[in-house]
Amino acid sequence: NAGVTQTPKFRILKIGQSMTLQCTQDMNHNYMYWYRQDPGMGLKLIYYSVGAGITDKGEVPNGYNVSRSTTEDFPLRLELAAPSQTSVYFCASGRTGGNSPLHFGNGTRLTVT
Amino acid sequence: DQQVKQNSPSLSVQEGRISILNCDYTNSMFDYFLWYKKYPAEGPTFLISISSIKDKNEDGRFTVFLNKSAKHLSLHIVPSQPGDSAVYFCAANYHSGNTPLVFGKGTRLSVIA
């Protein structure tokens, strides 16, 4: 069981570069989420999706974009990387909304210099 | 404005003793609560949950207590083991809603052998 798979594991970007963080799940979950974790700050929601073709902003969406063309995939796009986006990014999926446990990937550690 | 608060960033406990991790919430509409455990370089994993219709839920060494009037919940780990050393996140949501979970900032538990 692969669960939630995130790639890459690590990445270093220069300011102004762009990249896509990939996330795929094989559990046929409708709900998918992107969180970022800064040191001592817990998990902050960036974007989420309740199904293919539907996305919505979370608490900290600025500087990011998402798409959900299939149930399995939920990529996160950074268009113009900034040092403030240095963080660990976690993708998660769930069978239903907030009342079912989320399954998380192992994260992507991103450094913007 | 933090709706879910974990006021202790860290906690150290001797092996074999009880670990008590606390969580407070401000939104009285929350009626479903979860605890997640996170090891370094891994994503959070679901540990235990509780619905507001209960005041206690037990799973092996882990018990979650909910005090609705105080808007407080706690996770008890008995007996604590070195493998329990991790960051623990409290999360909350509306049981019937489709909105994302709201996470606390986490408490780092160290179990000393």
Side-chain angles (χ1 to χ4, degrees):
Chain A
N1 257 355
V4 178
T5 303
Q6 290 184 239
T7 56
K9 285 186 170 43
F10 304 94
R11 184 73 186 267
I12 298 174
L13 282 182
K14 293 191 189 309
I15 295 171
Q17 286 185 320
S18 61
M19 78 163 294
T20 299
L21 283 68
Q22 301 291 347
C23 175
T24 187
Q25 52 95 5
D26 62 359
M27 297 170 282
N28 202 33
H29 287 164
N30 282 328
Y31 290 73
M32 295 189 75
Y33 308 82
W34 275 106
Y35 289 90
R36 58 178 286 174
Q37 185 189 14
D38 300 325
M41 295 304 291
L43 294 161
K44 293 192 175 180
L45 182 67
I46 306 171
Y47 270 95
Y48 67 104
S49 168
V50 301
I54 306 168
T55 62
D56 213 341
K57 294 179 181 178
E59 186 184 354
V60 289
N62 291 344
Y64 307 94
N65 276 304
V66 292
S67 59
R68 185 91 183 275
S69 56
T70 66
T71 300
E72 295 78 20
D73 300 305
F74 191 39
L76 177 72
R77 178 90 179 152
L78 283 72
E79 290 294 349
L80 289 169
S84 61
Q85 293 177 305
T86 294
S87 189
V88 181
Y89 292 83
F90 291 100
C91 178
S93 72
R95 187 169 45 83
T96 61
N99 61 344
S100 67
L102 298 184
H103 299 258
F104 283 83
N106 282 333
T108 294
R109 182 176 293 276
L110 176 68
T111 302
V112 182
T113 61
Chain B
D1 178 34
Q2 266 193 285
Q3 297 187 73
V4 177
K5 300 178 184 179
Q6 293 177 258
N7 291 320
S8 298
S10 62
L11 175 68
S12 285
V13 172
Q14 288 254 307
E15 182 180 5
R17 299 289 186 103
I18 183 171
S19 295
I20 300 177
L21 294 92
N22 293 304
C23 178
D24 298 293
Y25 61 95
T26 58
N27 189 337
S28 57
M29 297 297 290
F30 286 149
D31 58 6
Y32 191 70
F33 305 90
L34 305 90
W35 285 93
Y36 285 80
K37 178 178 178 177
K38 184 184 178 305
Y39 291 119
E42 293 183 10
T45 55
F46 169 71
L47 189 58
I48 192 168
S49 63
I50 188 167
S51 165
S52 61
I53 61 173
K54 295 184 174 182
D55 53 19
K56 177 181 171 181
N57 189 26
E58 223 171 322
D59 184 2
R61 295 186 297 115
F62 302 91
T63 303
V64 56
F65 295 93
L66 175 62
N67 182 334
K68 289 188 292 291
S69 61
K71 295 195 187 71
H72 177 84
L73 63 154
S74 59
L75 174 68
H76 292 212
I77 306 173
V78 183
S80 301
Q81 299 173 353
D84 296 329
S85 297
V87 176
Y88 290 79
F89 291 100
C90 173
N93 203 352
Y94 318 107
H95 185 78
S96 58
N98 290 321
T99 53
L101 289 173
V102 179
F103 283 88
K105 290 185 177 181
T107 296
R108 181 179 300 278
L109 173 66
S110 299
V111 180
I112 304 158

